[in-house]
């Protein structure tokens, strides 16, 4: 595991084409922005264990 200190506006580049930017640090919260190719899925850890749903699915889970 790599641990870094970053200030707002600073970035971390991951592999080819993935950039993480620190947007804001306020109190105990950090806002991050991820820029990645469309084929790269980015999910919060608590949602990562759920099955992937198509991005164009309607709220009832049916493909559009």
């Amino acid at each position: 595991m790599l641990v870094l200190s970053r200030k707002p506006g600073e970035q971390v580049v991951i592999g080819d084409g993935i950039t993480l930017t620190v947007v804001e640090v306020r109190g105990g919260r950090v806002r991050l922005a991820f820029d990645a190719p469309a084929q790269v899925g980015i999910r919060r850890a608590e949602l990562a264990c759920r099955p992937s749903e198509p991005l164009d699915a309607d709220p009832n889970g049916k493909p559009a």
Side-chain angles (χ1 to χ4, degrees), residues 1-55:
M1 176 185 297
L2 173 65
V3 179
L4 300 173
S5 295
R6 303 274 77 199
K7 295 177 183 175
E10 294 182 331
Q11 298 178 322
V12 175
V13 177
I14 303 169
D16 294 325
I18 301 174
T19 303
L20 171 114
T21 304
V22 178
V23 176
E24 178 182 39
V25 178
R26 186 186 310 175
R29 295 195 139 200
V30 177
R31 292 185 68 203
L32 303 172
F34 297 87
D35 185 24
Q39 68 271 19
V40 175
I42 300 173
R43 300 179 120 188
R44 298 185 323 237
E46 63 270 21
L47 299 178
C49 61
R50 293 183 184 177
S52 183
E53 296 179 10
L55 295 177

